[in-house]
Amino acid sequence: MTEITRTTIDPAAGESVAVVGARGKTGRAISSALKDRAVPTIPIGRSEMTNPVEALKGCRAAYLMAPNLHPDERDFISTLLGACREAGVDRVVYHSVAAPYAPDMPHHVAKAASEDLVRRSGLQWSILQPCAYIDNLLPGLRGQNPHVAVPYSVDTRFGLISLADLGEIAAAVLLDDSHIGASYELGGPQQLTVRDYAAAAEQVLGRAVELEASTPQQWVAAHRSAGADSTSGTSLDLREIEWLAAMFSYYDNHGLPCGALPARAILGRPARSVEEVLCSELS
């Protein structure tokens, strides 16, 4: 790992980093990486957002991340940026997404608009644009009948990155002022398909992995039906269904390729491959 110049945060002086969404999977990975560097973290979640200025006081830096599929990410990030200025936080890193300006995907465009706010915030900023996570497809591989199921083509390419690497990158960028003013699209070391992912899982598990592919339209029909079941506590609302369907249709046609160099440069090593993550998580 490359040596980190701590020019922003001084843990010895009691300075801390706020992590918005610290209780979710991405926030936990970032908080863990900061803890490994002996940096105190302040979690900012739903309860803290009732008074974000108070929650942010005493923090020198903040990692800003909206909940997944937030209905108004631009407003959410605007509120956080204003709270940072009022609380005296002068260093922010914003969690965006690979290919933010993709007009076919509404939640990506919302991140592009939020990036613009970050750039014009008057704060010292960096922007991370990670690809989808290698870890997202792990749950189906843990059961008695391992499988990978996606509602889009299994033959388009992605630059998947691991959650652990994203956490390390976020911590490095937060703690080193040489990243101020930078935007990084973050992919793993491989451009691979879901079919490749399933084949790698078969090698790691030593058994067959079922590959299930449906269409975005089939996924929409299934989730609209689930939404009609009033006893379901986990159904998606119509907007979320439409936004996810738009994303799956984009994946179906284009995948989400993403370059490996920025992640490798920041980590000081190649990002973890799909095989490495699967071995670590499934062995």
Side-chain angles (χ1 to χ4, degrees), residues 215-231:
T215 67
Q217 294 76 19
Q218 290 169 328
W219 181 89
V220 168
H223 280 78
R224 281 182 173 166
S225 176
D229 177 6
S230 61
T231 64

Side-chain angles (χ1 to χ4, degrees), residues 62-66 73-82 84-85 89-97 110-129 173-174 179-184:
Y63 194 87
L64 308 183
M65 176 168 48
E73 179 152 350
R74 188 180 185 280
D75 181 70
F76 183 85
I77 295 301
S78 178
T79 297
L80 282 171
L81 291 169
C84 284
R85 287 189 291 265
V89 177
D90 59 5
R91 175 80 173 97
V92 297
V93 176
Y94 171 54
H95 186 93
S96 184
V97 68
K111 289 186 180 295
S114 298
E115 285 190 14
D116 175 59
L117 289 180
V118 171
R119 291 186 175 95
R120 295 188 290 110
S121 66
L123 302 171
Q124 299 181 94
W125 57 266
S126 304
I127 294 170
L128 301 185
Q129 301 166 325
V173 171
L174 280 161
H179 298 292
I180 289 172
S183 299
Y184 299 122

Side-chain angles (χ1 to χ4, degrees), residues 3 17 33 49 54 80 93-94 99 107 112 115 125 131-132 137 149 152 168 175 180 191 217 226 230-231 245 249 265:
E3 183 179 352
V17 174
M49 282 301 294
E54 189 62 32
L80 282 171
V93 176
Y94 171 54
H107 68 298
E115 285 190 14
W125 57 266
C131 192
L137 296 176
Y152 47 85
E168 289 188 33
L175 298 176
I180 289 172
Q191 302 291 324
Q217 294 76 19
S230 61
T231 64
S249 293

Side-chain angles (χ1 to χ4, degrees), residues 247-263:
M247 181 181 75
F248 297 146
S249 293
Y250 185 95
Y251 288 177
D252 206 40
N253 291 308
H254 310 293
L256 197 64
C258 194
L261 181 58

Side-chain angles (χ1 to χ4, degrees), residues 18-254:
V19 179
V20 178
R23 299 176 181 95
K25 64 181 180 181
T26 301
R28 290 195 299 271
I30 295 165
S31 297
S32 176
L34 287 167
K35 182 179 178 181
D36 288 344
R37 292 157 173 77
V39 178
T41 62
I42 304 298
I44 307 291
R46 186 174 301 174
S47 60
E48 289 81 13
M49 282 301 294
T50 59
N51 190 345
V53 174
E54 189 62 32
L56 288 163
K57 283 182 179 177
C59 297
R60 284 290 308 281
Y63 194 87
L64 308 183
M65 176 168 48
N68 194 34
L69 299 175
H70 193 282
D72 192 348
E73 179 152 350
R74 188 180 185 280
D75 181 70
F76 183 85
I77 295 301
S78 178
T79 297
L80 282 171
L81 291 169
C84 284
R85 287 189 291 265
E86 189 173 344
V89 177
D90 59 5
R91 175 80 173 97
V92 297
V93 176
Y94 171 54
H95 186 93
S96 184
V97 68
Y101 185 69
D104 289 341
M105 294 189 283
H107 68 298
H108 277 227
V109 174
K111 289 186 180 295
S114 298
E115 285 190 14
D116 175 59
L117 289 180
V118 171
R119 291 186 175 95
R120 295 188 290 110
S121 66
L123 302 171
Q124 299 181 94
W125 57 266
S126 304
I127 294 170
L128 301 185
Q129 301 166 325
C131 192
Y133 300 141
I134 296 170
D135 313 62
N136 289 349
L137 296 176
L138 283 171
L141 298 172
R142 298 189 190 279
Q144 292 297 315
N145 300 300
H147 64 280
V148 175
V150 294
Y152 47 85
S153 171
V154 297
D155 293 310
T156 56
R157 295 193 173 275
F158 296 80
L160 303 178
I161 191 165
S162 73
L163 262 172
D165 282 337
L166 185 277
E168 289 188 33
I169 290 166
V173 171
L174 280 161
L175 298 176
D176 186 342
D177 279 1
S178 67
H179 298 292
I180 289 172
S183 299
Y184 299 122
E185 197 165 65
L186 302 172
Q190 304 150 292
Q191 302 291 324
L192 79 170
T193 68
V194 175
R195 192 183 300 279
D196 296 331
Y197 187 104
E202 287 187 335
Q203 291 296 314
V204 170
L205 293 170
R207 56 190 296 196
V209 171
E210 184 178 359
L211 184 58
E212 304 171 13
S214 60
T215 67
Q217 294 76 19
Q218 290 169 328
W219 181 89
V220 168
H223 280 78
R224 281 182 173 166
S225 176
D229 177 6
S230 61
T231 64
S232 174
T234 58
S235 60
L236 299 167
D237 65 33
L238 181 59
R239 175 190 59 81
E240 291 170 325
I241 291 172
E242 290 177 346
W243 284 15
L244 285 170
M247 181 181 75
F248 297 146
S249 293
Y250 185 95
Y251 288 177
D252 206 40
N253 291 308
H254 310 293

